[in-house]
Coordinates of all heavy atoms in Angstrom, one line a residue:
H117 N -172.2 126.1 -4.5 CA -172.0 127.5 -4.3 C -171.7 127.9 -2.8 O -172.1 129.0 -2.4 CB -173.2 128.4 -4.8 CG -173.4 128.1 -6.2 ND1 -172.5 128.3 -7.2 CD2 -174.5 127.6 -6.8 CE1 -173.0 128.0 -8.4 NE2 -174.2 127.5 -8.2
T118 N -171.1 127.1 -2.1 CA -170.6 127.4 -0.7 C -169.4 128.4 -0.8 O -168.5 128.1 -1.5 CB -170.2 126.2 0.1 OG1 -171.3 125.3 0.0 CG2 -169.9 126.5 1.5
L119 N -169.5 129.5 -0.1 CA -168.4 130.4 -0.1 C -167.3 129.9 0.7 O -167.5 129.7 1.9 CB -168.9 131.8 0.4 CG -167.9 133.0 0.4 CD1 -167.5 133.2 -1.1 CD2 -168.5 134.2 0.9
S120 N -166.2 129.5 0.1 CA -165.1 128.8 0.9 C -164.0 129.8 1.3 O -163.3 129.6 2.3 CB -164.5 127.7 0.0 OG -164.0 128.2 -1.2
R121 N -163.8 130.9 0.5 CA -162.8 131.8 0.8 C -163.2 133.2 0.4 O -163.9 133.3 -0.6 CB -161.5 131.4 0.0 CG -160.4 131.2 0.9 CD -159.1 130.8 0.2 NE -159.2 130.7 -1.2 CZ -158.1 130.5 -2.0 NH1 -156.9 130.5 -1.5 NH2 -158.2 130.5 -3.3
L122 N -162.8 134.2 1.2 CA -163.1 135.5 0.7 C -161.8 136.3 0.8 O -161.2 136.5 1.9 CB -164.2 136.2 1.6 CG -164.5 137.7 1.3 CD1 -164.9 137.8 -0.2 CD2 -165.6 138.2 2.2
T123 N -161.2 136.7 -0.3 CA -159.9 137.4 -0.4 C -160.2 138.8 -0.6 O -161.0 139.2 -1.4 CB -159.1 136.8 -1.5 OG1 -158.9 135.4 -1.3 CG2 -157.7 137.4 -1.6
V124 N -159.4 139.7 0.1 CA -159.5 141.1 -0.2 C -158.2 141.6 -0.8 O -157.1 141.3 -0.3 CB -159.8 142.0 1.0 CG1 -160.0 143.4 0.7 CG2 -160.9 141.5 1.8
C125 N -158.3 142.2 -2.0 CA -157.1 142.8 -2.6 C -157.1 144.3 -2.1 O -157.9 145.1 -2.5 CB -157.3 142.7 -4.1 SG -155.9 143.5 -5.0
V126 N -156.1 144.6 -1.3 CA -156.1 146.0 -0.7 C -155.1 146.9 -1.4 O -154.1 146.4 -1.9 CB -155.8 146.0 0.8 CG1 -156.9 145.2 1.6 CG2 -154.5 145.4 1.2
S127 N -155.4 148.2 -1.3 CA -154.4 149.2 -1.8 C -153.6 149.7 -0.7 O -154.1 149.7 0.5 CB -155.2 150.4 -2.4 OG -155.9 150.0 -3.5
S128 N -152.4 150.1 -1.0 CA -151.5 150.6 0.1 C -151.2 152.1 -0.2 O -150.6 152.8 0.7 CB -150.2 149.8 0.1 OG -149.6 149.8 -1.1
Q129 N -151.5 152.6 -1.4 CA -151.2 154.0 -1.7 C -152.4 154.5 -2.6 O -153.1 153.7 -3.2 CB -149.9 154.1 -2.5 CG -148.7 153.7 -1.7 CD -147.4 153.9 -2.5 OE1 -147.3 153.5 -3.7 NE2 -146.4 154.4 -1.9
V130 N -152.5 155.8 -2.6 CA -153.5 156.4 -3.6 C -152.6 156.6 -4.8 O -151.7 157.4 -4.9 CB -154.0 157.8 -3.1 CG1 -155.1 158.2 -4.1 CG2 -154.6 157.7 -1.7
G131 N -152.9 155.8 -5.9 CA -152.0 155.8 -7.1 C -150.8 155.0 -6.8 O -150.7 154.2 -5.8
C132 N -149.8 155.2 -7.7 CA -148.5 154.4 -7.5 C -147.4 155.1 -8.2 O -147.6 155.6 -9.4 CB -148.7 153.0 -8.0 SG -147.2 152.0 -7.8
P133 N -146.2 155.3 -7.6 CA -145.1 156.0 -8.3 C -144.2 155.1 -9.2 O -143.3 155.5 -9.8 CB -144.3 156.5 -7.1 CG -144.5 155.5 -6.0 CD -145.9 154.9 -6.2
M134 N -144.5 153.7 -9.2 CA -143.6 152.8 -9.9 C -143.7 152.8 -11.4 O -142.7 152.5 -12.1 CB -143.8 151.4 -9.4 CG -143.6 151.2 -7.8 SD -142.2 152.0 -7.1 CE -140.9 151.1 -7.8
A135 N -144.8 153.2 -11.9 CA -145.0 153.4 -13.4 C -144.6 152.1 -14.2 O -144.0 152.2 -15.3 CB -144.2 154.6 -13.9
C136 N -144.9 150.9 -13.7 CA -144.7 149.7 -14.5 C -145.5 149.8 -15.8 O -146.7 150.2 -15.7 CB -145.1 148.5 -13.7 SG -144.2 148.3 -12.2

Side-chain angles (χ1 to χ4, degrees):
H117 304 298
T118 304
L119 186 58
S120 59
R121 237 178 2 169
L122 178 57
T123 301
V124 186
C125 177
V126 296
S127 294
S128 56
Q129 298 183 312
V130 186
C132 184
M134 303 313 292
C136 300

